[in-house]
Amino acid sequence: MPRDIDFGERLHAQTTEYLDRLSDCVDRLPALLDEYEPGGEYGATVEEIQAIESECDGMLREITGYVTEAGPEDIGLLNTRITHNESALLELFGTVDTVANLTERIAQELQMIEPARDNDCFRGLREMADEIVGMTATLATLVDRFVDSLRHAEDSETFAEEIQSIRDAESRCDDLRNGVITTAFDDKSIEQPLLYREFAILFDELANTIEDVTDQIVIVASEEQGIATEPDTDGE
């Protein structure tokens, strides 16, 4: 494959485009829940999520193909961090793509099951969606900066703030999940509590997947001098 720009520069550009579409996909989740009404007209948003998820799949295939098909002469000496972490980077992209997959699954299951929306359980799921949108925005910034850092072997970067932000949001999602499940079984007016339990777990799986990406970045950073993922407390 001919390469008219630096390998790392092109990989970073592809990553930025992919993350923009990933964010577009997840951003539609709160809108979907707001529009949702059993038997209502919300199918267009479901279709948008499905279409963007498919687009993300195609973009990811291009990224992984670009990385796996490249030889040492293509990657070059300036991108040694990419060479050293190729397998971990591909695994990270796969985990990021699961975010789009789970968003699509939530949309599809909402359309298939159509649970009642006028209750505290559904409102808890809506709060989880807001947290997940915020987590995804932070994730996009984090992964974009992380891939960019792999292009510059001599540069130092810290991702502690983004990682902690995602961890904090994931903890809030845990609390919201527990609240939805508890309410589903304690509130006798809630019909089919198991449905809300399953949705709460699915939303939580989405949040957990976003946090999993941070864990993968921490693993790579532990082997790379100059990439920090924890706050620097030495100067305090």
Side-chain angles (χ1 to χ4, degrees), residues 3-236:
R3 292 171 170 84
D4 54 1
I5 62 173
D6 173 75
F7 175 87
E9 182 181 352
R10 180 172 177 178
L11 176 62
H12 181 233
Q14 289 178 313
T15 299
T16 300
E17 292 176 3
Y18 168 73
L19 293 169
D20 284 345
R21 292 306 280 158
L22 176 75
S23 296
D24 289 341
C25 183
V26 179
D27 284 350
R28 281 164 170 75
L29 189 56
L32 172 63
L33 296 177
D34 288 342
E35 295 169 4
Y36 167 73
E37 189 73 45
E41 299 294 330
Y42 60 93
T45 304
V46 175
E47 291 175 1
E48 287 179 3
I49 290 173
Q50 292 173 325
I52 298 172
E53 191 278 335
S54 295
E55 187 178 345
C56 285
D57 283 345
M59 297 174 80
L60 181 64
R61 284 193 294 270
E62 290 183 6
I63 291 172
T64 55
Y66 183 62
V67 174
T68 56
E69 293 171 10
E73 70 282 0
D74 298 309
I75 297 176
L77 294 177
L78 294 178
N79 298 297
T80 54
R81 280 179 174 171
I82 296 175
T83 303
H84 293 160
N85 296 288
E86 179 178 319
S87 295
L89 184 60
L90 293 174
E91 183 179 354
L92 183 144
F93 276 119
T95 305
V96 173
D97 197 56
T98 303
V99 174
N101 297 341
L102 287 170
T103 302
E104 180 187 41
R105 181 179 167 191
I106 289 171
Q108 291 172 334
E109 295 204 7
L110 187 72
Q111 189 175 40
M112 287 187 295
I113 298 171
E114 291 202 324
R117 61 164 293 157
D118 294 325
N119 56 57
D120 288 337
C121 289
F122 193 89
R123 285 185 281 273
L125 296 176
R126 179 62 176 79
E127 290 184 59
M128 292 183 77
D130 279 339
E131 290 286 356
I132 288 166
V133 167
M135 291 174 74
T136 303
T138 304
L139 179 76
T141 300
L142 171 63
V143 174
D144 188 84
R145 291 184 57 223
F146 175 69
V147 172
D148 190 41
S149 75
L150 296 180
R151 299 168 50 208
H152 309 292
E154 303 302 322
D155 290 356
S156 296
E157 288 285 353
T158 178
F159 305 111
E161 184 176 346
E162 291 94 339
I163 289 173
Q164 190 58 53
S165 174
I166 288 172
R167 288 173 175 171
D168 290 344
E170 195 279 331
S171 293
R172 291 193 295 271
C173 281
D174 284 345
D175 292 339
L176 289 167
R177 174 205 63 202
N178 293 340
V180 170
I181 294 173
T182 298
T183 300
F185 289 96
D186 286 352
D187 187 342
K188 302 306 179 184
S189 69
I190 302 291
E191 298 181 0
Q192 298 180 299
L194 286 173
L195 293 183
Y196 294 100
R197 177 182 182 275
E198 292 306 312
F199 271 111
I201 291 173
L202 189 54
F203 274 75
D204 190 54
E205 184 180 354
L206 179 49
N208 290 340
T209 300
I210 295 172
E211 187 179 37
D212 287 345
V213 176
T214 69
D215 294 337
Q216 291 173 304
I217 289 176
V218 169
I219 291 172
V220 173
S222 68
E223 302 293 331
E224 289 290 342
Q225 186 176 3
I227 300 180
T229 56
E230 299 294 337
D232 182 7
T233 58
D234 293 340
E236 293 183 356

